[in-house]
Amino acid sequence: MPQYAKNFITQVILRADFVPGTVPLVQPGERVLAAVDGFTVRNSANRSKSEVRVQKTPQGPIKDTRTTNFIEHNFWTEDKLRRVAVCSEYVFYETRVYEGFDTARDAFLDVLDAVYEQCPGMKIRRLGMRYINEIKLPEADAGPGLGADFWERYINPSLLGGLRFAANDGALARHMCTTELNYGTDRATLKYGIFNSDYPKPNRKREFILDVDTYCMTELAEDAVAMKLEDYHNAAISVFETAVTDALRSRMGRRGL
């Protein structure tokens, strides 16, 4: 597995959504609070979600909308760079300072294990892991330009067709693409391109997004989560390595395998 001196990861998200009714959590217990001990900035907020189900009847399809109200408990580190959310519907972990897969996975699993201890009937209906890479190359030695002629040195040309179609560096405001992959119960969504935070103004930044979201839509036992996250981590690495060139690896300071 490649090792680099630097990376472009700006956000990592891990989330487990529960089968409705299996986590009757209103307030986090002592074990959950212990798992977020370092997350000292805290608040709770009332949330709601609506689900629409379509039922077939002799008179035709009928839409049934169900609204669920719940309390979301949020925990941040003092610098607001890491966040945990716990409620009856999901557990959510987010970090904007990536210190490695093991660190993110362990922080997430600590909280998930604590919820399971408090609610042993917990069942997971969706598990996901998302890596957002913001490849920023403002340095002069990276080369001139903003369009495909610039990015083909660093990004797989297969991902640059739309940029080449735009052709004009001075006019492009945004170009984001989505590719969805279906492996049965496992899914992956890749979003990539020029996001441009100054949109709708024309883009003036050498920034390219690689957003890899891996997830499954099937019921999982709590003890299967760690292995599934390992699979997703490896899948995200594979996508990233396929999407970039050796020139970008060199700028990241590749240290070998």
Side-chain angles (χ1 to χ4, degrees):
M1 187 176 299
Q3 300 292 324
Y4 299 101
K6 62 174 288 187
N7 63 66
F8 294 101
I9 298 171
T10 57
Q11 191 175 11
V12 179
I13 300 169
L14 297 92
R15 175 167 170 154
D17 289 273
F18 304 132
V19 173
T22 66
V23 180
L25 187 152
V26 178
Q27 293 293 332
E30 292 184 6
R31 175 72 174 82
V32 174
L33 294 176
V36 294
D37 182 59
F39 295 71
T40 56
V41 179
R42 306 178 175 189
N43 74 13
S44 298
N46 292 319
R47 305 291 189 201
S48 65
K49 70 172 185 178
S50 296
E51 295 182 337
V52 178
R53 300 180 182 180
V54 178
Q55 296 179 332
K56 294 182 179 180
T57 71
Q59 292 75 35
I62 296 177
K63 290 184 178 180
D64 177 22
T65 302
R66 300 182 182 181
T67 299
T68 302
N69 299 309
F70 58 95
I71 302 174
E72 181 187 75
H73 304 280
N74 292 285
F75 308 86
W76 288 270
T77 52
E78 193 68 32
D79 56 14
K80 292 292 186 77
L81 294 178
R82 297 176 183 82
R83 174 193 166 207
V84 169
V86 179
C87 63
S88 59
E89 305 303 308
Y90 51 79
V91 164
F92 174 98
Y93 173 82
E94 172 189 18
T95 179
R96 296 180 182 273
V97 180
Y98 184 62
E99 297 177 340
F101 167 68
D102 291 350
T103 300
R105 176 202 59 202
D106 292 349
F108 175 73
L109 289 179
D110 281 349
V111 179
L112 191 65
D113 290 346
V115 171
Y116 181 70
E117 185 175 302
Q118 182 173 341
C119 304
M122 179 186 81
K123 293 181 180 178
I124 298 169
R125 65 183 176 93
R126 185 188 188 278
L127 178 71
M129 180 179 222
R130 183 178 178 188
Y131 283 94
I132 299 176
N133 299 269
E134 296 183 19
I135 301 170
K136 300 179 180 181
L137 298 175
E139 305 92 349
D141 67 336
L146 295 168
D149 289 343
F150 171 82
W151 283 110
E152 68 182 2
R153 282 168 284 177
Y154 302 106
I155 301 296
N156 187 323
S158 297
L159 303 181
L160 302 177
L163 284 185
R164 198 164 297 285
F165 179 81
N168 186 346
D169 281 354
L172 182 69
R174 176 170 290 173
H175 176 70
M176 290 294 296
C177 299
T178 300
T179 299
E180 298 188 21
L181 304 173
N182 184 334
Y183 298 102
T185 57
D186 288 328
R187 310 285 180 87
T189 299
L190 172 63
K191 297 180 181 179
Y192 60 93
I194 306 299
F195 179 75
N196 184 20
S197 58
D198 295 325
Y199 176 87
K201 295 180 180 179
N203 179 57
R204 294 292 182 265
K205 299 175 182 177
R206 293 200 292 267
E207 299 179 1
F208 195 95
I209 300 294
L210 284 174
D211 179 347
V212 186
D213 187 7
T214 49
Y215 60 97
C216 62
M217 300 286 290
T218 188
E219 193 170 307
L220 280 178
E222 193 267 344
D223 59 4
V225 172
M227 183 61 70
K228 185 66 74 174
L229 292 177
E230 187 81 32
D231 291 342
Y232 290 162
H233 171 61
N234 291 332
I237 290 174
S238 178
V239 169
F240 180 83
E241 291 295 327
T242 302
V244 303
T245 68
D246 285 340
L248 187 67
R249 295 184 185 97
S250 178
R251 298 193 77 86
M252 294 170 65
R254 184 165 182 169
R255 296 171 173 171
L257 299 177

